Amino acid sequence: MPSTISKNSISSTWIVFVSLIPISLFFYTFFAYVTNIPFQDDYDALLEPVTKFTQLSPFSWKEFIHIIWVQDDERRIVVDRVAATLIYLINGHLDLRIQMFIGLLSLLGFLFLFYTIIKEAQLPVLLVVAASFLLFHIQYYEAIYWGMIPLQHIVVHFFALLSAYYLYKPKASHLTLALGAAILAILSDVSGTFVLPTGLVLLLLQHRWKHAGIWVLVIGGMIALYYYQLVVPAYRPKLSDNLQHPWLILYNLLSFSGLSADLNTVLPFKLRSGLIMATGLSFWCIVIYSAFFFIKPSFQHAKVAYPRWKITLWGGLIHFSITILAFAVGRAMEGTQAVLISRYKHMGFIWLILISILVFSQLRPTLRWARIWTILSVFVCFFSYFEYLAPLDYYYKERNTDMYGWENNRALPSSPIYLSLQSAVDTITTQSIRAGVYDLPNDYFFEMPYQVSADLFTLETKQMGHALVFTNEQFIRSVHKNDGAYILLKNASQSHYIPTRQKRYSLKSFVSSLGKHYYANGFHGSFPVEYLQPNTQYQVWVVVIHGGVKVLHPTTYRLNALPNFAVRISQS
């Protein structure tokens, strides 16, 4: 007999306690690494509109709506901008840490919706624990720590799932709530517009013809308004261009669908991609096969009453299916490398959770299988911290050295696009600071004072194209957040700090050492030569931070920046 949520021997208290473990670790890590530093689209997406809001004198609703409605890239992000404006009004300035935290709270909303599906489907309560471990980890750290992303790319899927949650009952109040959630999804991101076909399918399958008509009128009208005068940027490939590459579309479709199976650096790229696409293919087989049994009753009976859990589950599956297909087409010419990045992995894991619940609801396995799935989920969660803590650490240091670079040198080394948009970014940032919208960091953890060492630091320096590359094979660092080596390029008027990527031990070494072997010997770092002042000489130093102690080491290198992005590297 299958063990149901009402008949299992595991206490609710124990389930809550275990579920809180990944949640607590997730938010502990979030607060440890979060910064109030804008990144790429944050400048024109958040800083600029809030600054324009402060310049409304007198206040005008028409102008305010225009400010939050103006498109960002290929979408409108009204929810993001309204939240940023409210944070400014309440807090006195825009704090991107609050912006991100509010968006990440939607993950708790996801977990609640998963809980209701599991409970009402009478599935093993352990699936809630599994969902918690699969949802709260740092594989998608770029989505977590990028100011605008949580209230865009994460919240949009929560509102879409919440909309489906309220579409199970033919009551006007429930339809109103579903419409409200759907509109919020649309106002969060362009993928929110997929609530139109999702909701329409769910209503038609329930034979709710009148509500389906209302849905098309209201949501269709909202989407028409959303797309009105929305212009696809010139740097984005046209739909017709993407459709000329059907194999790339298929690769992206399977890769996006199987993102949760990405073992990253553990496997060679071909094996890594093969595993991901095989997983994606199996997921589509499960969804398509199960969809037949989901829609079958609608064609066999004049009146169909689907349970809420089934409507919610399939609402999520339909919405994600359309989102994945749209992304596969829209990013076809960019290849699978545009898919296999941290920023999108939250969608891969939400998709995985939905499919796992679907499988359990179809097969009704014993509690033993729920235990096995939960154990696998725990391993996935802790593997995520092993595999992605080092990239997160580097990402955190990049944001800080970037902001220092902009404040002191008007340089954003990690954002190549800055070179072509420097005037606009500088204007937005300067105006936001003057208006009191954004506050620069009070200090930077890698700055002086230093203990100066006379010991030369071993370093190899060379130019590769438009980048200076620095490597070392001996240096070892601890796991503390700010620790590590930083390259310092210094001349009479500039100081460029460059974070380094520390090498890391393999998963096997980490496990066999019981967690003692994480960072391995050696590092590398790079810096765009475009930011060097021509016809000047730079001294190369290395700042080593260990346990809060900052030591400045000399090297033998001198860099002579020449015209046309050439650098003469010499040793003394």
Side-chain angles (χ1 to χ4, degrees):
M1 293 292 292
S3 177
T4 66
I5 197 167
S6 59
K7 296 181 180 180
N8 65 74
S9 60
I10 304 171
S11 70
S12 298
T13 303
W14 175 248
I15 293 298
V16 171
F17 173 77
V18 178
S19 298
L20 284 174
I21 293 174
I23 297 173
S24 302
L25 182 58
F26 176 87
F27 282 107
Y28 172 82
T29 307
F30 169 75
F31 287 114
Y33 285 94
V34 69
T35 64
N36 183 30
I37 296 175
F39 180 54
Q40 293 190 5
D41 291 7
D42 289 338
Y43 291 93
D44 58 329
L46 300 178
L47 266 63
E48 184 178 29
V50 177
T51 301
K52 287 183 176 180
F53 167 78
T54 66
Q55 297 167 348
L56 292 180
S57 183
F59 175 79
S60 165
W61 278 108
K62 180 180 178 180
E63 290 300 318
F64 175 65
I65 291 173
H66 174 73
I67 288 171
I68 62 175
W69 193 255
V70 169
Q71 77 177 80
D72 170 71
D73 197 357
E74 54 190 346
R75 68 252 160 175
R76 304 188 194 278
I77 49 170
V78 177
V79 170
D80 234 332
R81 287 172 170 167
V82 170
T85 304
L86 290 173
I87 290 170
Y88 166 77
L89 290 173
I90 296 171
N91 194 48
H93 64 274
L94 174 58
D95 193 326
L96 296 174
R97 294 169 296 188
I98 300 174
Q99 184 93 5
M100 290 178 262
F101 178 68
I102 292 173
L104 293 175
L105 290 178
S106 65
L107 295 173
L108 297 173
F110 270 115
L111 191 60
F112 170 77
L113 291 176
F114 294 146
Y115 164 75
T116 61
I117 295 172
I118 293 166
K119 178 183 178 182
E120 293 175 8
Q122 295 189 322
L123 297 174
V125 71
L126 269 176
L127 294 181
V128 178
V129 177
S132 182
F133 277 96
L134 291 173
L135 190 61
F136 291 92
H137 53 73
I138 60 170
Q139 278 209 37
Y140 53 100
Y141 68 90
E142 287 181 346
I144 298 168
Y145 294 95
W146 188 336
M148 65 179 288
I149 297 297
L151 276 169
Q152 179 200 357
H153 276 313
I154 298 179
V155 156
V156 62
H157 301 296
F158 167 69
F159 285 136
L161 192 62
L162 185 65
S163 175
Y165 175 81
Y166 285 112
L167 281 179
Y168 83 101
K169 212 169 201 178
K171 286 187 176 181
S173 58
H174 285 74
L175 180 64
T176 302
L177 290 170
L179 288 168
I183 290 172
L184 287 173
I186 295 168
L187 296 179
S188 298
D189 182 62
V190 66
S191 60
T193 59
F194 303 142
V195 295
L196 175 60
T198 300
L200 183 60
V201 168
L202 295 177
L203 290 169
L204 291 177
L205 288 176
Q206 297 175 81
H207 299 174
R208 292 164 58 183
W209 317 118
K210 180 180 178 181
H211 285 177
I214 295 172
W215 186 264
V216 171
L217 287 174
V218 176
I219 301 303
M222 188 68 215
I223 291 174
L225 184 64
Y226 183 94
Y227 281 111
Y228 177 67
Q229 294 186 339
L230 188 74
V231 179
V232 178
Y235 56 83
R236 292 293 187 191
K238 296 179 181 178
L239 177 61
S240 57
D241 295 332
N242 286 321
L243 290 175
Q244 294 177 16
H245 302 275
W247 285 109
L248 290 178
I249 292 174
L250 179 61
Y251 293 154
N252 277 357
L253 179 69
L254 297 180
S255 297
F256 204 106
S257 306
L259 269 178
S260 56
D262 185 8
L263 294 181
N264 204 20
T265 61
V266 173
L267 295 177
F269 182 75
K270 287 186 178 180
L271 285 178
R272 174 192 177 195
S273 299
L275 175 62
I276 292 169
M277 287 192 282
T279 303
L281 178 61
S282 65
F283 285 172
W284 277 107
C285 290
I286 291 170
V287 171
I288 294 171
Y289 177 79
S290 302
F292 172 77
F293 295 99
F294 174 62
I295 66 175
K296 185 178 179 181
S298 182
F299 292 94
Q300 292 179 330
H301 306 286
K303 187 176 182 181
V304 183
Y306 286 98
R308 181 171 63 179
W309 71 266
K310 191 169 285 190
I311 289 294
T312 308
L313 176 62
W314 276 99
L317 289 168
I318 295 170
H319 186 266
F320 268 95
S321 297
I322 300 172
T323 301
I324 292 170
L325 178 59
F327 187 94
V329 174
R331 295 290 187 268
M333 294 185 66
E334 298 177 36
T336 55
Q337 292 290 0
V339 176
L340 304 181
I341 58 176
S342 170
R343 192 193 320 168
Y344 302 121
K345 290 197 172 180
H346 63 286
M347 290 187 272
F349 279 96
I350 296 170
W351 173 248
L352 171 65
I353 294 169
L354 291 170
I355 290 175
S356 67
I357 296 174
L358 174 65
V359 170
F360 274 89
S361 69
Q362 296 283 347
L363 301 180
R364 298 285 171 172
T366 61
L367 183 60
R368 182 183 66 172
W369 289 103
R371 288 171 178 163
I372 293 173
W373 180 244
T374 303
I375 292 171
L376 288 174
S377 301
V378 172
F379 280 126
V380 167
C381 180
F382 287 108
F383 167 78
S384 301
Y385 283 92
F386 164 79
E387 188 68 21
Y388 290 90
L389 183 61
L392 169 58
D393 180 86
Y394 182 75
Y395 180 91
Y396 161 80
K397 290 172 179 175
E398 265 195 330
R399 300 289 72 74
N400 281 274
T401 53
D402 270 7
M403 202 72 251
Y404 176 92
W406 182 88
E407 184 178 355
N408 294 277
N409 310 309
R410 290 299 185 264
L412 288 175
S414 74
S415 299
I417 195 173
Y418 172 71
L419 291 168
S420 59
L421 300 173
Q422 182 171 359
S423 177
V425 172
D426 290 351
T427 299
I428 291 170
T429 311
T430 302
Q431 289 182 349
S432 67
I433 293 170
R434 289 175 180 171
V437 170
Y438 178 69
D439 293 336
L440 289 166
N442 293 325
D443 53 56
Y444 297 92
F445 57 83
F446 45 80
E447 278 190 298
M448 296 187 292
Y450 302 128
Q451 295 179 13
V452 181
S453 172
D455 298 331
L456 289 174
F457 194 95
T458 303
L459 192 69
E460 181 181 350
T461 304
K462 58 185 176 181
Q463 183 176 3
M464 299 179 65
H466 282 227
L468 288 168
V469 178
F470 308 91
T471 56
N472 172 283
E473 300 298 334
Q474 295 82 36
F475 178 77
I476 185 68
R477 59 157 291 189
S478 74
V479 296
H480 294 110
K481 181 175 66 174
N482 296 333
D483 285 5
Y486 302 78
I487 310 299
L488 170 58
L489 308 182
K490 187 173 179 59
N491 68 6
S493 59
Q494 285 188 336
S495 294
H496 293 287
Y497 287 92
I498 307 165
T500 61
R501 291 182 185 269
Q502 188 75 27
K503 292 183 178 180
R504 192 188 59 201
Y505 282 104
S506 67
L507 178 60
K508 180 180 178 181
S509 297
F510 177 76
V511 173
S512 61
S513 69
L514 300 179
K516 294 180 180 179
H517 290 166
Y518 187 70
Y519 286 116
N521 292 42
F523 64 73
H524 71 273
S526 62
F527 185 78
V529 297
E530 289 89 342
Y531 291 117
L532 298 179
Q533 291 178 333
N535 303 314
T536 60
Q537 186 181 82
Y538 290 82
Q539 173 105 24
V540 181
W541 301 80
V542 176
V543 177
V544 173
I545 303 180
H546 181 79
V549 177
K550 294 179 281 188
V551 181
L552 181 66
H553 293 268
T555 72
T556 60
Y557 284 98
R558 305 287 184 276
L559 307 177
N560 289 282
L562 306 174
N564 301 318
F565 309 124
V567 178
R568 183 190 302 121
I569 302 172
S570 59
Q571 289 183 274
S572 57

